[in-house]
Amino acid sequence: MSVAVAYANIALIKYWGKADRVRNLPAVPSLSLTLAGLRTRTEAQLIPGEEDTVTLDGRPAQGRPHARVVALLDQLRARAGSDAHLAVTSHNEFPTAAGLASSASGFAALALAASHALGLSLTRQELSAVARQASASAARSIFGGWAELLTSSEHASPIAPAAHLDVRMLVAVTRRGEKAIGSTEAMLHTAETSPYYDAWVASAGAMFARGKSALLARDLKELGRAMEHSTLAMHASMLAADPGVLYFAPESLAVMHAVRELRGRGFSAYFTLDAGPHVKVLCPSSEAPAIAAELRALPAVLELLEAAPGDAAELIEAP
Ligand code: PMV
């Protein structure tokens, strides 16, 4: 049995939109931070028979989740020249059942465990390209620390190690168990119906350049501002779709306003939101305890997780 772990990543400069739907290539460049603690553990084992079996968080996967795993396994079988089938068991060890995005860590861990089980020894770049075809954000979770996924490349690349900036990402869980519209569907809908989609794509390169140079200069204020700008511009593109895609809950807005108020009081706190209602807050680690205490006191916050920059995906058991 091959066992791999990978960690969730949060985009600071957002990916939203596909340049090539079949190959799943992003329309815009993105920049992310991989987070310690938010871990997926995936086992892959060769089995006799004509079908793959997929168990996600203790339950047999069906429908689209099952098909996405099999599609990734098909990519690897084609590379390995194999028609072997696998049993895949994946577990999200996130300290919450709040529905935080697990596709990034999940497909990164799957690419690593399953490629190994099939006898392949892929480079990180190759693993990242395989994971990207399942979920573009997963390409970034192959790497630790700060990573980028460009539009001109099949794979993500590391920009800086985890220790480059001493920060924390606070994850404010605002709702439980709601099933939002999936990111793929929402992106395609935005591209097809939003008059702001083209403007989003046209401005994404400058936002990425701003975020990346702020990161390289270790300028957290500028990086935080670039992150909020990218976040709100991405959501603006989907709000203008028809019908609009609305991931903000009232609680999300309450946390966003609270973050701006904390900034007014001198804290360096910046928010981002993805395809869901939870708010992630970037801050220096020295301010994290005080900011976490402020956020925990909000009625809008059900649970608050504190994550440090995390490591790359890793094989922890190999046959
Ligand atoms: O890769 P997907 O399909 O999980 O899409 C990720 C989209 C966002 O999380 C909203 C942004 C990002 O860059 O991670």
Side-chain angles (χ1 to χ4, degrees), residues 184-241:
T184 295
E185 199 187 326
M187 276 178 211
L188 298 173
H189 176 64
T190 304
E192 277 162 17
T193 65
S194 172
Y196 297 171
Y197 178 73
D198 290 345
W200 154 253
V201 173
S203 50
M207 289 182 211
F208 174 81
R210 178 188 179 193
K212 184 172 174 178
S213 44
L215 172 66
L216 294 176
R218 295 191 169 86
D219 184 343
L220 181 60
K221 279 199 171 115
E222 179 65 6
L223 180 60
R225 292 213 169 106
M227 179 175 81
E228 282 193 6
H229 187 213
S230 172
T231 300
L232 292 174
M234 173 184 80
H235 282 278
S237 77
M238 46 179 127
L239 287 169

Side-chain angles (χ1 to χ4, degrees), residues 3-91:
V3 185
V5 293
Y7 301 87
N9 74 77
I10 300 293
L12 287 83
I13 305 297
K14 302 296 186 182
Y15 148 60
W16 194 256
K18 298 179 193 292
D20 182 329
R21 193 181 165 174
V22 176
R23 292 163 68 210
N24 203 34
L25 291 167
V28 297
S30 57
L31 185 161
S32 65
L33 176 61
T34 298
L35 300 180
L38 303 182
R39 185 170 104 147
T40 299
R41 181 183 190 279
T42 301
E43 304 172 355
Q45 191 169 20
L46 295 181
I47 49 168
E50 293 302 303
E51 266 174 53
D52 302 307
T53 66
V54 182
T55 308
L56 301 179
D57 282 329
R59 292 201 196 129
Q62 281 153 353
R64 192 163 137 75
H66 182 269
R68 289 178 79 185
V69 170
V70 171
L72 190 151
L73 298 178
D74 284 341
Q75 275 192 72
L76 293 173
R77 277 190 279 264
R79 269 179 184 261
S82 161
D83 55 8
H85 286 83
L86 290 97
V88 170
T89 306
S90 191
H91 199 77

